[in-house]
Amino acid sequence: MKRFFINMFWNTINPFRRLYWFIFKPRTRGVKVLVVWERKILLVRLGYAHLEWTIPGGGVHRGESYEEAARREIKEEVGIVLDGIKKIGEYESRKEHKRDTVVCFRATVQNPIFHVDGIEIAEAGWYVPSTLPNPHRPAVSLLLQMAGIQ
């Protein structure tokens, strides 16, 4: 039932967000974190928006560093507390008319256990990079390339 209301809210508010982005072309900041466990990567599928498999991440709050945002997003989305993370690159995205700077990190975990809330993140899983689930976002391949994982 919660997911129904989240989807209804998303479908109602998203056209207004897109219009705002189209008119004002705001600068935004985001993060993506390539979480690795035993040669597998963690992918998530959102419970709203594009519904495709992607690398976990999200927006950077005002006054928050990219690294702080990366740690917070992973904790919120999959319940994993990251020990060490390493910046592997960044990219600029102009999709949806925003000017988005996305800083990308890599983190290796020793334990494969994660927890998703079933609302923002519909599901998550560990995948071998050569057999990624479809459909997946282009950012997945980009981050694998940045990390030197094929």
Side-chain angles (χ1 to χ4, degrees):
M1 190 61 142
K2 268 188 181 178
R3 180 175 278 166
F4 171 78
F5 287 112
I6 297 267
N7 285 336
M8 190 170 75
F9 175 77
W10 177 258
N11 290 333
T12 302
I13 198 74
N14 200 40
F16 295 104
R17 290 175 45 173
R18 288 177 182 264
L19 179 62
Y20 173 83
W21 296 335
F22 180 76
I23 293 169
F24 295 103
K25 298 175 181 31
R27 289 194 181 276
T28 57
R29 301 183 310 146
V31 293
K32 291 283 187 185
V33 183
L34 186 66
V35 182
V36 180
W37 170 70
E38 293 187 357
R39 298 185 186 173
K40 295 180 182 176
I41 63 167
L42 182 66
L43 295 181
V44 297
R45 192 176 61 76
L46 301 179
Y48 64 95
H50 54 70
L51 307 176
E52 296 174 318
W53 289 95
T54 190
I55 303 291
V60 179
H61 295 162
R62 195 168 299 188
E64 184 177 45
S65 73
Y66 284 104
E67 184 174 327
E68 290 168 336
R71 291 176 184 281
R72 177 185 50 76
E73 285 290 343
I74 297 303
K75 175 96 169 74
E76 288 176 1
E77 292 187 356
V78 291
I80 296 174
V81 176
L82 297 175
D83 290 328
I85 64 174
K86 178 184 173 191
K87 181 179 174 183
I88 57 172
E90 64 183 67
Y91 64 92
E92 295 286 326
S93 173
R94 301 254 183 199
K95 73 178 182 203
E96 299 178 323
H97 305 285
K98 296 181 292 182
R99 296 173 293 170
D100 196 17
T101 300
V102 181
V103 174
C104 307
F105 295 90
R106 177 182 175 155
T108 301
V109 295
Q110 304 303 316
N111 186 333
I113 297 173
F114 59 83
H115 306 282
V116 298
D117 64 10
I119 298 170
E120 180 182 5
I121 304 299
E123 60 184 312
W126 295 103
Y127 294 92
V128 175
S130 60
T131 57
L132 298 175
N134 283 312
H136 61 269
R137 303 293 287 177
V140 174
S141 299
L142 178 61
L143 264 77
L144 288 173
Q145 183 180 14
M146 283 181 185
I149 299 173
Q150 301 303 330

Coordinates of all heavy atoms in Angstrom, one line a residue, residues 18-102:
R18 N 10.2 18.2 -13.5 CA 10.8 18.3 -14.9 C 10.6 19.7 -15.5 O 11.5 20.2 -16.1 CB 10.2 17.2 -15.7 CG 10.7 15.9 -15.4 CD 10.0 14.8 -16.3 NE 10.4 13.5 -15.9 CZ 11.4 12.8 -16.5 NH1 12.1 13.4 -17.5 NH2 11.7 11.6 -16.1
L19 N 9.5 20.3 -15.3 CA 9.2 21.6 -15.8 C 10.2 22.6 -15.2 O 10.8 23.5 -15.9 CB 7.8 22.1 -15.6 CG 7.4 23.5 -16.1 CD1 7.6 23.6 -17.6 CD2 5.9 23.8 -15.7
Y20 N 10.3 22.6 -13.9 CA 11.3 23.4 -13.1 C 12.7 23.3 -13.7 O 13.4 24.3 -14.0 CB 11.2 23.1 -11.6 CG 12.3 23.9 -10.9 CD1 12.1 25.2 -10.4 CD2 13.5 23.3 -10.6 CE1 13.0 25.9 -9.7 CE2 14.5 23.9 -9.8 CZ 14.2 25.2 -9.4 OH 15.2 25.9 -8.7
W21 N 13.1 22.0 -13.9 CA 14.4 21.8 -14.4 C 14.6 22.3 -15.8 O 15.6 22.8 -16.2 CB 14.7 20.3 -14.4 CG 14.8 19.6 -13.0 CD1 15.1 20.3 -11.9 CD2 14.6 18.3 -12.7 NE1 15.0 19.4 -10.8 CE2 14.7 18.1 -11.3 CE3 14.2 17.1 -13.5 CZ2 14.6 16.9 -10.7 CZ3 14.1 15.9 -12.8 CH2 14.2 15.8 -11.4
F22 N 13.6 22.2 -16.6 CA 13.6 22.7 -18.0 C 13.8 24.2 -18.0 O 14.5 24.7 -18.8 CB 12.3 22.2 -18.8 CG 12.3 22.7 -20.2 CD1 13.1 22.1 -21.2 CD2 11.5 23.8 -20.5 CE1 13.1 22.5 -22.5 CE2 11.5 24.2 -21.9 CZ 12.3 23.6 -22.8
I23 N 13.0 24.9 -17.2 CA 13.0 26.3 -17.2 C 14.3 26.9 -16.6 O 15.0 27.7 -17.1 CB 11.8 26.9 -16.4 CG1 10.5 26.6 -17.2 CG2 11.9 28.4 -16.3 CD1 9.3 26.8 -16.5
F24 N 14.7 26.4 -15.4 CA 15.8 27.0 -14.6 C 17.1 26.3 -14.8 O 18.2 26.8 -14.4 CB 15.4 27.0 -13.1 CG 14.2 27.9 -12.9 CD1 13.0 27.4 -12.7 CD2 14.4 29.3 -12.9 CE1 11.9 28.3 -12.4 CE2 13.3 30.2 -12.7 CZ 12.1 29.6 -12.5
K25 N 17.2 25.1 -15.3 CA 18.4 24.3 -15.5 C 19.3 24.4 -14.3 O 20.5 24.8 -14.4 CB 19.1 24.8 -16.8 CG 18.3 24.5 -18.0 CD 18.9 25.1 -19.2 CE 18.1 24.9 -20.5 NZ 16.6 24.8 -20.4
P26 N 18.8 23.9 -13.1 CA 19.6 24.0 -11.9 C 20.9 23.2 -11.9 O 21.0 22.1 -12.6 CB 18.7 23.6 -10.8 CG 17.8 22.6 -11.5 CD 17.6 23.1 -12.9
R27 N 21.8 23.6 -11.1 CA 23.0 22.8 -10.8 C 22.7 21.8 -9.7 O 22.2 22.3 -8.7 CB 24.2 23.6 -10.4 CG 24.8 24.4 -11.6 CD 26.2 24.9 -11.2 NE 26.7 25.7 -12.3 CZ 27.4 25.2 -13.3 NH1 27.5 23.9 -13.4 NH2 27.8 26.0 -14.3
T28 N 22.9 20.6 -9.9 CA 22.7 19.6 -8.8 C 23.9 18.8 -8.6 O 24.8 18.7 -9.5 CB 21.5 18.7 -9.1 OG1 21.7 18.0 -10.4 CG2 20.2 19.5 -9.2
R29 N 24.0 18.1 -7.4 CA 25.2 17.2 -7.1 C 24.6 15.9 -6.7 O 23.7 15.8 -6.0 CB 26.0 17.8 -6.0 CG 26.5 19.2 -6.3 CD 27.4 19.8 -5.2 NE 26.8 19.7 -3.9 CZ 27.5 19.5 -2.7 NH1 28.8 19.3 -2.8 NH2 26.8 19.4 -1.6
G30 N 25.3 14.9 -7.2 CA 24.9 13.5 -6.9 C 26.1 12.6 -6.7 O 27.3 13.0 -6.9
V31 N 25.8 11.4 -6.2 CA 26.9 10.4 -6.0 C 26.4 9.0 -6.5 O 25.2 8.8 -6.5 CB 27.3 10.3 -4.5 CG1 28.0 11.5 -4.0 CG2 26.1 9.9 -3.6
K32 N 27.3 8.2 -6.8 CA 27.1 6.8 -7.2 C 28.2 6.0 -6.4 O 29.3 6.5 -6.4 CB 27.2 6.5 -8.7 CG 26.0 7.1 -9.5 CD 24.8 6.3 -9.3 CE 23.7 6.7 -10.2 NZ 22.5 6.0 -10.0
V33 N 27.8 4.9 -5.9 CA 28.8 4.1 -5.2 C 28.8 2.6 -5.7 O 27.8 1.9 -5.6 CB 28.6 4.0 -3.7 CG1 29.7 3.2 -3.0 CG2 28.5 5.4 -3.1
L34 N 29.9 2.3 -6.3 CA 30.1 0.9 -6.8 C 30.5 0.0 -5.6 O 31.6 0.1 -5.2 CB 31.1 0.9 -7.9 CG 31.3 -0.4 -8.7 CD1 30.1 -0.8 -9.5 CD2 32.5 -0.3 -9.6
V35 N 29.6 -0.7 -5.1 CA 29.8 -1.6 -3.9 C 30.2 -3.0 -4.4 O 29.4 -3.6 -5.2 CB 28.6 -1.6 -3.0 CG1 28.9 -2.5 -1.7 CG2 28.2 -0.2 -2.6
V36 N 31.4 -3.4 -4.0 CA 31.9 -4.7 -4.5 C 32.0 -5.7 -3.4 O 32.5 -5.4 -2.3 CB 33.3 -4.5 -5.2 CG1 33.9 -5.8 -5.7 CG2 33.2 -3.4 -6.3
W37 N 31.6 -6.9 -3.7 CA 31.8 -8.0 -2.7 C 32.2 -9.3 -3.6 O 31.4 -9.7 -4.4 CB 30.5 -8.3 -1.9 CG 30.6 -9.6 -1.2 CD1 31.3 -9.9 -0.1 CD2 29.9 -10.8 -1.4 NE1 31.1 -11.1 0.4 CE2 30.2 -11.7 -0.5 CE3 28.9 -11.2 -2.4 CZ2 29.7 -13.0 -0.5 CZ3 28.4 -12.4 -2.4 CH2 28.8 -13.4 -1.4
E38 N 33.4 -9.8 -3.3 CA 33.8 -11.0 -4.0 C 33.6 -11.0 -5.5 O 32.9 -11.9 -6.0 CB 33.2 -12.3 -3.3 CG 33.7 -12.5 -1.9 CD 33.2 -13.8 -1.3 OE1 32.5 -14.6 -2.0 OE2 33.6 -14.1 -0.2
R39 N 34.0 -10.0 -6.2 CA 34.0 -9.9 -7.6 C 32.5 -9.7 -8.1 O 32.3 -9.9 -9.3 CB 34.6 -11.0 -8.3 CG 36.1 -11.2 -8.0 CD 36.7 -12.2 -8.8 NE 38.1 -12.4 -8.4 CZ 38.9 -13.3 -8.8 NH1 38.4 -14.2 -9.7 NH2 40.1 -13.4 -8.4
K40 N 31.6 -9.4 -7.3 CA 30.3 -9.1 -7.7 C 30.0 -7.6 -7.3 O 30.6 -7.1 -6.3 CB 29.3 -10.0 -7.0 CG 29.4 -11.4 -7.4 CD 28.4 -12.3 -6.7 CE 28.6 -13.8 -7.1 NZ 27.7 -14.6 -6.4
I41 N 29.1 -7.0 -8.0 CA 28.7 -5.6 -7.7 C 27.2 -5.6 -7.2 O 26.4 -6.4 -7.7 CB 28.9 -4.7 -8.9 CG1 28.0 -5.1 -10.1 CG2 30.4 -4.6 -9.3 CD1 28.0 -4.0 -11.2
L42 N 26.9 -4.6 -6.4 CA 25.6 -4.5 -5.9 C 24.8 -3.5 -6.8 O 25.3 -2.4 -7.1 CB 25.6 -3.9 -4.5 CG 24.3 -3.7 -3.8 CD1 23.6 -5.1 -3.5 CD2 24.4 -2.9 -2.5
L43 N 23.7 -4.0 -7.3 CA 22.8 -3.2 -8.1 C 21.5 -3.1 -7.4 O 21.1 -4.0 -6.7 CB 22.6 -3.8 -9.5 CG 23.8 -3.9 -10.4 CD1 23.4 -4.5 -11.8 CD2 24.4 -2.5 -10.6
V44 N 20.8 -2.0 -7.6 CA 19.5 -1.8 -7.0 C 18.5 -1.4 -8.2 O 18.9 -0.9 -9.2 CB 19.5 -0.6 -6.0 CG1 20.4 -1.0 -4.8 CG2 19.9 0.7 -6.6
R45 N 17.2 -1.8 -7.9 CA 16.2 -1.4 -8.8 C 15.2 -0.5 -8.0 O 14.7 -0.9 -7.0 CB 15.4 -2.6 -9.4 CG 14.5 -2.2 -10.6 CD 13.9 -3.5 -11.2 NE 13.0 -4.2 -10.2 CZ 11.8 -3.8 -9.8 NH1 11.3 -2.7 -10.3 NH2 11.1 -4.5 -9.0
L46 N 15.0 0.7 -8.5 CA 14.2 1.7 -7.9 C 12.7 1.2 -7.9 O 12.3 0.6 -8.8 CB 14.3 3.0 -8.5 CG 15.7 3.7 -8.5 CD1 15.7 5.0 -9.2 CD2 16.3 3.8 -7.2
G47 N 12.0 1.7 -6.8 CA 10.6 1.4 -6.8 C 9.7 2.5 -7.4 O 8.5 2.5 -7.3
Y48 N 10.4 3.5 -8.0 CA 9.7 4.6 -8.6 C 10.6 5.0 -9.8 O 11.6 4.4 -10.1 CB 9.5 5.8 -7.6 CG 10.8 6.3 -7.2 CD1 11.4 7.4 -7.8 CD2 11.6 5.7 -6.1 CE1 12.6 7.9 -7.4 CE2 12.8 6.2 -5.7 CZ 13.3 7.3 -6.4 OH 14.5 7.8 -6.0
A49 N 10.3 6.0 -10.5 CA 11.1 6.6 -11.6 C 11.3 5.6 -12.7 O 10.3 5.0 -13.2 CB 12.4 7.1 -11.0
H50 N 12.5 5.4 -13.1 CA 12.8 4.6 -14.3 C 12.7 3.1 -14.1 O 12.6 2.4 -15.1 CB 14.2 4.9 -14.8 CG 15.3 4.8 -13.8 ND1 15.7 3.6 -13.4 CD2 16.0 5.7 -13.2 CE1 16.7 3.8 -12.5 NE2 16.9 5.1 -12.4
L51 N 12.7 2.5 -12.9 CA 12.5 1.1 -12.6 C 13.6 0.2 -13.2 O 13.4 -1.0 -13.2 CB 11.1 0.6 -13.1 CG 9.9 1.4 -12.6 CD1 8.6 0.9 -13.3 CD2 9.8 1.4 -11.1
E52 N 14.7 0.8 -13.6 CA 15.8 0.0 -14.1 C 16.8 -0.3 -13.1 O 16.9 0.4 -12.0 CB 16.5 0.7 -15.3 CG 15.5 0.9 -16.5 CD 16.1 1.8 -17.6 OE1 16.8 2.8 -17.2 OE2 15.9 1.5 -18.7
W53 N 17.7 -1.3 -13.3 CA 18.8 -1.6 -12.4 C 19.8 -0.5 -12.5 O 20.2 -0.1 -13.6 CB 19.4 -3.0 -12.7 CG 18.4 -4.1 -12.4 CD1 17.5 -4.7 -13.2 CD2 18.3 -4.7 -11.1 NE1 16.8 -5.7 -12.5 CE2 17.3 -5.7 -11.2 CE3 18.9 -4.5 -9.9 CZ2 16.9 -6.5 -10.2 CZ3 18.5 -5.3 -8.8 CH2 17.5 -6.3 -9.0
T54 N 20.4 -0.2 -11.4 CA 21.4 0.9 -11.4 C 22.3 0.8 -10.2 O 22.1 -0.1 -9.3 CB 20.7 2.3 -11.3 OG1 21.7 3.3 -11.6 CG2 20.0 2.6 -10.0
I55 N 23.4 1.6 -10.2 CA 24.3 1.6 -9.1 C 23.6 2.5 -8.0 O 23.1 3.5 -8.3 CB 25.6 2.3 -9.5 CG1 26.2 1.6 -10.7 CG2 26.6 2.5 -8.4 CD1 26.8 0.2 -10.4
P56 N 23.7 2.1 -6.7 CA 23.1 2.9 -5.7 C 23.8 4.2 -5.5 O 25.0 4.4 -5.8 CB 23.3 2.0 -4.4 CG 24.3 1.0 -4.7 CD 24.3 0.8 -6.2
G57 N 23.0 5.2 -5.1 CA 23.5 6.6 -5.0 C 22.3 7.5 -4.8 O 21.2 7.1 -4.7
G58 N 22.6 8.8 -4.9 CA 21.5 9.8 -4.8 C 22.1 11.2 -4.7 O 23.3 11.4 -5.1
G59 N 21.3 12.1 -4.2 CA 21.7 13.5 -4.2 C 22.5 13.9 -3.0 O 22.5 13.2 -2.0
V60 N 23.2 15.0 -3.1 CA 24.1 15.5 -2.1 C 23.3 16.6 -1.4 O 22.9 17.6 -2.1 CB 25.4 16.0 -2.6 CG1 26.3 16.6 -1.5 CG2 26.1 14.9 -3.4
H61 N 23.1 16.6 -0.1 CA 22.4 17.6 0.6 C 23.3 18.9 0.7 O 24.5 18.8 0.7 CB 22.0 17.2 2.0 CG 21.0 16.0 2.0 ND1 20.8 15.2 3.1 CD2 20.2 15.6 1.1 CE1 19.9 14.4 2.9 NE2 19.5 14.6 1.6
R62 N 22.7 20.0 0.9 CA 23.4 21.2 1.1 C 24.3 21.1 2.4 O 23.9 20.6 3.4 CB 22.4 22.4 1.4 CG 23.0 23.7 1.3 CD 21.9 24.8 1.2 NE 21.1 24.4 0.0 CZ 20.1 25.2 -0.5 NH1 19.8 26.3 0.2 NH2 19.5 24.9 -1.5
G63 N 25.5 21.5 2.2 CA 26.5 21.4 3.3 C 27.1 20.1 3.5 O 27.9 19.9 4.4
E64 N 26.8 19.1 2.7 CA 27.3 17.7 2.8 C 28.3 17.5 1.8 O 28.2 18.0 0.6 CB 26.1 16.8 2.6 CG 26.4 15.3 2.8 CD 25.1 14.5 2.6 OE1 24.3 14.7 1.6 OE2 24.9 13.6 3.4
S65 N 29.4 16.8 2.2 CA 30.4 16.5 1.2 C 30.0 15.3 0.3 O 29.0 14.6 0.7 CB 31.8 16.1 1.9 OG 31.6 14.8 2.5
Y66 N 30.6 15.1 -0.8 CA 30.3 14.0 -1.7 C 30.5 12.7 -0.9 O 29.7 11.8 -1.0 CB 31.1 14.0 -2.9 CG 30.7 15.1 -4.0 CD1 31.4 16.2 -4.1 CD2 29.6 14.9 -4.8 CE1 31.0 17.2 -5.0 CE2 29.2 15.8 -5.7 CZ 29.9 17.0 -5.8 OH 29.5 17.9 -6.7
E67 N 31.6 12.6 -0.2 CA 31.8 11.3 0.5 C 30.8 11.1 1.6 O 30.3 9.9 1.8 CB 33.2 11.3 1.2 CG 33.5 10.0 1.8 CD 35.0 9.9 2.3 OE1 35.9 10.5 1.7 OE2 35.2 9.2 3.4
E68 N 30.4 12.1 2.3 CA 29.3 12.0 3.3 C 28.0 11.5 2.7 O 27.3 10.6 3.2 CB 29.1 13.3 4.1 CG 30.2 13.7 5.0 CD 30.1 15.1 5.5 OE1 29.5 16.0 4.8 OE2 30.7 15.4 6.6
A69 N 27.7 12.1 1.5 CA 26.5 11.7 0.8 C 26.6 10.3 0.3 O 25.6 9.6 0.4 CB 26.3 12.7 -0.4
A70 N 27.7 9.9 -0.1 CA 27.9 8.5 -0.6 C 27.6 7.5 0.6 O 26.9 6.5 0.4 CB 29.3 8.3 -1.2
R71 N 28.2 7.8 1.7 CA 28.0 6.9 2.9 C 26.6 6.9 3.3 O 26.0 5.8 3.6 CB 28.9 7.3 4.0 CG 30.4 7.1 3.7 CD 31.2 7.6 4.9 NE 32.7 7.5 4.6 CZ 33.4 6.4 4.8 NH1 32.8 5.3 5.2 NH2 34.6 6.3 4.5
R72 N 25.9 8.1 3.3 CA 24.5 8.2 3.8 C 23.6 7.5 2.8 O 22.7 6.7 3.3 CB 24.1 9.7 3.9 CG 22.7 9.9 4.2 CD 22.3 11.3 4.2 NE 22.6 12.0 3.0 CZ 22.0 11.9 1.8 NH1 21.0 11.1 1.7 NH2 22.4 12.6 0.8
E73 N 23.8 7.6 1.5 CA 22.9 7.0 0.5 C 23.0 5.5 0.6 O 22.0 4.8 0.6 CB 23.2 7.5 -0.9 CG 22.8 8.9 -1.2 CD 21.2 9.0 -1.3 OE1 20.5 8.0 -1.4 OE2 20.8 10.2 -1.2
I74 N 24.2 4.9 0.8 CA 24.3 3.5 0.9 C 23.6 3.0 2.1 O 22.9 2.0 2.1 CB 25.8 3.0 0.8 CG1 26.4 3.4 -0.6 CG2 25.9 1.6 1.0 CD1 25.6 2.9 -1.8
K75 N 23.8 3.7 3.2 CA 23.2 3.3 4.5 C 21.6 3.3 4.3 O 20.9 2.4 4.7 CB 23.6 4.2 5.6 CG 23.0 4.0 6.9 CD 23.8 3.1 7.8 CE 23.3 3.0 9.2 NZ 22.1 2.3 9.5
E76 N 21.1 4.4 3.7 CA 19.7 4.6 3.6 C 19.1 3.5 2.6 O 18.0 3.0 2.9 CB 19.3 6.0 3.1 CG 19.5 7.1 4.1 CD 19.3 8.5 3.5 OE1 18.9 8.6 2.3 OE2 19.4 9.4 4.2
E77 N 19.8 3.3 1.5 CA 19.2 2.5 0.4 C 19.3 1.0 0.7 O 18.4 0.2 0.4 CB 19.8 2.9 -0.9 CG 19.4 4.2 -1.4 CD 19.8 4.6 -2.8 OE1 20.6 3.8 -3.4 OE2 19.5 5.6 -3.3
V78 N 20.5 0.6 1.2 CA 20.7 -0.9 1.4 C 21.2 -1.3 2.8 O 21.5 -2.4 3.0 CB 21.7 -1.4 0.3 CG1 21.0 -1.4 -1.1 CG2 23.0 -0.7 0.3
G79 N 21.2 -0.3 3.7 CA 21.6 -0.7 5.1 C 23.0 -1.1 5.3 O 23.3 -1.7 6.3
I80 N 23.9 -0.7 4.4 CA 25.3 -1.1 4.6 C 26.1 0.1 5.1 O 26.0 1.2 4.5 CB 25.9 -1.6 3.2 CG1 25.2 -2.9 2.8 CG2 27.4 -1.8 3.4 CD1 25.7 -3.3 1.4
V81 N 26.9 0.0 6.1 CA 27.8 1.0 6.6 C 29.1 0.7 6.0 O 29.7 -0.3 6.2 CB 27.9 1.0 8.2 CG1 28.9 2.0 8.7 CG2 26.5 1.2 8.8
L82 N 29.6 1.7 5.2 CA 30.8 1.6 4.5 C 32.0 1.9 5.4 O 32.0 3.0 6.1 CB 30.8 2.4 3.2 CG 29.8 2.1 2.2 CD1 29.8 3.1 1.1 CD2 29.9 0.7 1.7
D83 N 33.1 1.1 5.3 CA 34.3 1.5 6.0 C 35.1 2.4 5.1 O 35.1 3.6 5.4 CB 35.1 0.2 6.3 CG 34.4 -0.7 7.4 OD1 33.8 -0.1 8.3 OD2 34.6 -1.9 7.3
G84 N 35.8 1.9 4.1 CA 36.6 2.7 3.3 C 35.9 2.9 1.9 O 35.4 1.9 1.4
I85 N 36.0 4.1 1.4 CA 35.5 4.3 0.0 C 36.6 5.1 -0.7 O 37.4 5.8 -0.1 CB 34.2 5.0 -0.1 CG1 34.2 6.4 0.5 CG2 33.1 4.2 0.6 CD1 32.9 7.2 0.3
K86 N 36.6 4.9 -2.0 CA 37.6 5.6 -2.8 C 37.0 6.2 -4.0 O 36.1 5.6 -4.7 CB 38.6 4.6 -3.3 CG 39.7 5.1 -4.2 CD 40.6 4.0 -4.7 CE 41.6 4.6 -5.8 NZ 42.3 3.6 -6.5
K87 N 37.3 7.5 -4.3 CA 36.7 8.2 -5.4 C 37.4 7.6 -6.7 O 38.6 7.4 -6.8 CB 37.0 9.7 -5.4 CG 36.5 10.4 -6.6 CD 36.8 11.9 -6.4 CE 36.3 12.6 -7.7 NZ 36.7 14.1 -7.7
I88 N 36.5 7.2 -7.7 CA 37.0 6.7 -8.9 C 36.8 7.6 -10.1 O 37.3 7.3 -11.2 CB 36.4 5.3 -9.2 CG1 34.9 5.3 -9.2 CG2 36.9 4.3 -8.1 CD1 34.3 4.0 -9.7
G89 N 36.1 8.6 -9.9 CA 35.8 9.6 -11.0 C 34.6 10.4 -10.9 O 33.9 10.3 -9.8
E90 N 34.2 11.1 -11.9 CA 33.0 11.9 -11.9 C 32.6 12.1 -13.3 O 33.4 12.0 -14.2 CB 33.2 13.2 -11.1 CG 34.1 14.2 -11.7 CD 34.3 15.4 -10.8 OE1 34.8 15.3 -9.7 OE2 33.8 16.5 -11.3
Y91 N 31.3 12.5 -13.4 CA 30.8 12.8 -14.8 C 29.7 13.9 -14.6 O 29.2 14.1 -13.6 CB 30.3 11.6 -15.5 CG 29.1 10.9 -14.9 CD1 27.8 11.2 -15.3 CD2 29.2 9.9 -13.9 CE1 26.7 10.6 -14.7 CE2 28.2 9.2 -13.4 CZ 26.9 9.6 -13.8 OH 25.8 8.9 -13.2
E92 N 29.5 14.5 -15.7 CA 28.4 15.6 -15.8 C 27.3 15.0 -16.6 O 27.5 14.3 -17.6 CB 29.0 16.8 -16.5 CG 30.1 17.5 -15.8 CD 29.6 18.3 -14.6 OE1 28.5 18.8 -14.6 OE2 30.4 18.4 -13.6
S93 N 26.1 15.2 -16.1 CA 24.9 14.7 -16.7 C 24.0 15.9 -17.0 O 23.8 16.8 -16.1 CB 24.1 13.7 -15.9 OG 22.9 13.4 -16.4
R94 N 23.5 16.0 -18.2 CA 22.5 17.1 -18.6 C 21.1 16.5 -18.9 O 20.3 17.2 -19.4 CB 23.1 17.8 -19.8 CG 24.4 18.4 -19.6 CD 24.3 19.9 -19.5 NE 25.7 20.4 -19.4 CZ 25.9 21.6 -18.9 NH1 24.9 22.3 -18.5 NH2 27.1 22.0 -18.8
K95 N 20.9 15.3 -18.5 CA 19.6 14.7 -18.8 C 18.6 15.4 -17.9 O 18.9 15.9 -16.8 CB 19.6 13.2 -18.6 CG 19.7 12.7 -17.2 CD 19.6 11.2 -17.1 CE 19.6 10.8 -15.6 NZ 20.1 9.6 -15.3
E96 N 17.4 15.4 -18.3 CA 16.3 16.1 -17.6 C 16.6 17.6 -17.5 O 16.0 18.2 -16.6 CB 16.0 15.4 -16.3 CG 15.6 14.0 -16.4 CD 15.4 13.3 -15.1 OE1 16.1 13.6 -14.1 OE2 14.4 12.5 -15.0
H97 N 17.5 18.1 -18.3 CA 17.8 19.6 -18.3 C 18.5 20.1 -17.1 O 18.7 21.3 -16.9 CB 16.5 20.4 -18.6 CG 15.8 19.9 -19.8 ND1 16.3 20.2 -21.1 CD2 14.7 19.2 -20.0 CE1 15.5 19.7 -22.0 NE2 14.5 19.1 -21.4
K98 N 18.9 19.2 -16.2 CA 19.7 19.7 -15.0 C 21.1 19.7 -15.4 O 21.5 19.0 -16.4 CB 19.5 18.7 -13.8 CG 18.1 18.6 -13.3 CD 18.0 17.7 -12.1 CE 18.2 16.3 -12.5 NZ 18.1 15.3 -11.5
R99 N 21.9 20.4 -14.6 CA 23.4 20.3 -14.8 C 23.9 19.6 -13.6 O 24.2 20.2 -12.5 CB 24.0 21.7 -14.9 CG 23.5 22.5 -16.2 CD 23.9 23.9 -16.2 NE 23.2 24.6 -15.1 CZ 23.4 25.8 -14.8 NH1 24.4 26.5 -15.4 NH2 22.8 26.4 -13.8
D100 N 24.0 18.3 -13.7 CA 24.3 17.4 -12.5 C 25.7 16.9 -12.5 O 26.2 16.3 -13.5 CB 23.3 16.2 -12.6 CG 23.2 15.5 -11.3 OD1 23.6 16.0 -10.3 OD2 22.7 14.3 -11.3
T101 N 26.4 17.2 -11.5 CA 27.8 16.6 -11.3 C 27.6 15.4 -10.4 O 27.1 15.5 -9.3 CB 28.7 17.7 -10.6 OG1 28.8 18.8 -11.4 CG2 30.1 17.1 -10.3
V102 N 28.0 14.3 -10.9 CA 27.9 13.0 -10.2 C 29.3 12.5 -9.9 O 30.1 12.2 -10.8 CB 27.2 11.9 -11.0 CG1 27.0 10.7 -10.2 CG2 25.8 12.5 -11.4

